[in-house]
Amino acid sequence: ASEGGGGGGGGGGGGGGGLDLSRRFADLPLKKFFLKVVEPGGDPGDDLGTKHNGGLLAKVAALLAADGEDRTFEILYFDKDGNDWAQMNTDTDMDDLTIDTPPKFCLRFTSSKRTFSAAPFLTHDRFKKELGLRTPQEGALLQIRNVLKPARASSAEHGGPRFMVILPTGCGKTWVMALAPCMLESTNVLCILPNLTIGDQVNSELSHIYSSQHSVGRTGNMKVRIEKYTSRGLVLNSDALPDVVTTNVQALVDTSRAKAGEAGEEGAKEPSLNRNAETFINTLKPDLVIIDEGHHFPASSWELLSESATAANTDCKFLLLTATPQRGDGRQYGLKNVPPPNQFFYLYSRKDAIKNKFIKEIHYQPIPASWPERIAKKVERYEDPDYIVQIVDPA
């Protein structure tokens, strides 16, 4: 155990003081005891907690292991004479303890639990059996964990690392969006959606996925606060900053200016953040920005948001989700002008999705001869997985 700091899941690990405390617990004869667990700042209260038989240290170690994180903690005992809880530490004289029979103990954490933790999910059985993730979802999430998490910005000029996940429609991008913060153990997540309708839908789906009614929420024992940012500002249901903020590009960027600037119209202005957006991003300091269906965004809007988020938090990472990595006007998005050390992608082809029955086979109608040749060629090239790889990784 550790006295007020330096936690550890082992039976009393965490430094010399913790080992000494272990010996003191070993000297305390316990056949039965009550033990409760309290989060930081919590009051142990009057309830007895859960009754156990022998092995206090073993039970504490098991609770720490189940918590899944290396958090600091303290152990309290109920002082019978003082009629109050007191901290057990290396100076506690075991012979002078005045405790009930059976005694009452409390494991109180002194550091907060991380909202998004990877530990509960990082086993194949958890992915496959408990969560029921599909192969493309599992592959994308493991790549995000193994590649994007350790990645760091190569320079301030190019911003944070960018990872693009390309999944055919119907393969479950929302689950990837929900679990990516866990794989990266993020703290402040900004999800940017293409419009209000999709934003409301994703907000509702994420709330359900993180709830105790869903396998993800139950497995991660998650309590995620999700709020919306609109053009009027952040809608808060508490004083604390939310864990996830959903919004759309129109609420952050003046897209009319962005489109005009991209079209090269005479006198067009550079895009700018909408009113309050800069203050919001600087306050949130996102360490993960998720862009859903980013091919809808004007390139200049994307670059502005990327620069703003990186300026607010130099450790910010970017996750781009799409089924169409090239925009309708032929421009790339997201990975443009990003050098190889900062860009990564995961591609699960439509052909594999059909083969593995994640989506149904699509039957195509021939392109009418009346269609202009340039349109016919645009449609045909999306049938070639090599072309998709080429436009994402042009090297």
Side-chain angles (χ1 to χ4, degrees), residues 135-137 139-141 143-144 163-173 176 291-293 295 319-326 333 335 344-353 382 384-393:
T135 301
Q137 295 169 323
L141 289 166
Q143 280 290 88
I144 289 169
F163 191 106
M164 181 182 287
V165 173
I166 308 164
L167 297 180
T169 301
C171 282
K173 287 193 277 84
V176 175
I291 311 287
D292 186 35
E293 303 295 350
H295 53 276
L319 176 64
L320 302 94
L321 304 171
T322 187
T324 312
Q326 189 171 30
Y333 83 101
L335 301 183
F344 315 94
F345 75 94
Y346 173 84
L347 168 65
Y348 194 84
S349 71
R350 181 177 52 79
K351 183 183 295 184
D352 287 336
Y382 284 109
D384 182 7
D386 293 335
Y387 171 73
I388 299 296
V389 174
Q390 181 183 1
I391 63 175
V392 175
D393 188 15

Side-chain angles (χ1 to χ4, degrees), residues 119-134 137-138 175 179 209 212-221:
F121 302 101
L122 287 179
T123 68
H124 183 75
D125 286 346
R126 281 278 169 88
F127 270 134
K128 287 294 186 183
K129 295 180 181 178
E130 296 183 32
L131 300 184
L133 290 184
R134 299 172 177 178
Q137 295 169 323
E138 181 181 19
W175 277 59
L179 281 166
I209 290 173
S212 59
Q213 306 300 316
H214 196 279
S215 57
V216 170
R218 289 194 300 271
T219 301
N221 190 24

